Amino acid sequence: QVELEESGGGSVQAGGSLRLSCALSQGTTSNRCMGWFRQAPGKERERVATIDSGRSTSYANAVKGRFTVSVDSTKNTLYLQMDSLNSEDTATYYCAADRIWGRLGDMCAYHIWGQGTQVTVSS
């Protein structure tokens, strides 16, 4: 019932910025764990940033201080603001959400996945 659609990817030069969006299907609550994951060619999928139902955030060390995850409840949309991008950020980015609303921290799970959006950063 919960469906996710990413947008906002593209090609940028190192040092640039992008903002990714993840729209939740109409009629579903944003009061749930949500997050961003990425996968580069030849690499394992990795967690980038998460935000729980209490709006506590967590970031991978590689992006801490550069990326910001947020939720706009009025638009029912998850965002990832990416600043100071470098070539290591090149990947397909996926948003994901818990199928159960209202969970916090370590209780979060990520069952529902979007189609992904490509981010390419040139040196």
Side-chain angles (χ1 to χ4, degrees):
Q1 196 167 343
V2 177
E3 295 181 348
L4 308 175
E5 183 175 3
E6 302 98 333
S7 62
S11 298
V12 298
Q13 292 187 330
S17 298
L18 284 173
R19 187 175 73 164
L20 306 183
S21 299
C22 175
L24 279 69
S25 51
Q26 191 173 167
T28 63
T29 181
S30 62
N31 184 31
R32 66 180 73 239
C33 302
M34 293 181 285
W36 293 93
F37 299 77
R38 67 186 182 187
Q39 187 165 24
K43 295 184 178 180
E44 298 292 323
R45 184 188 66 192
E46 64 176 331
R47 178 188 61 83
V48 177
T50 58
I51 182 166
D52 69 14
S53 63
R55 299 300 184 250
S56 293
T57 59
S58 180
Y59 297 91
N61 288 335
V63 307
K64 190 172 296 184
R66 299 189 297 120
F67 290 11
T68 303
V69 63
S70 62
V71 174
D72 186 337
S73 296
T74 64
K75 294 182 172 62
N76 217 33
T77 300
L78 171 74
Y79 297 99
L80 183 67
Q81 177 66 44
M82 305 186 294
D83 298 321
S84 301
L85 286 162
N86 60 63
S87 61
E88 301 301 315
D89 297 316
T90 295
T92 300
Y93 285 71
Y94 300 88
C95 62
D98 201 337
R99 63 179 172 86
I100 299 174
W101 68 271
R103 299 205 278 203
L104 299 168
D106 293 340
M107 298 299 295
C108 293
Y110 301 93
H111 308 101
I112 311 300
W113 293 78
Q115 292 291 308
T117 185
Q118 180 67 38
V119 172
T120 302
V121 184
S122 60
S123 301

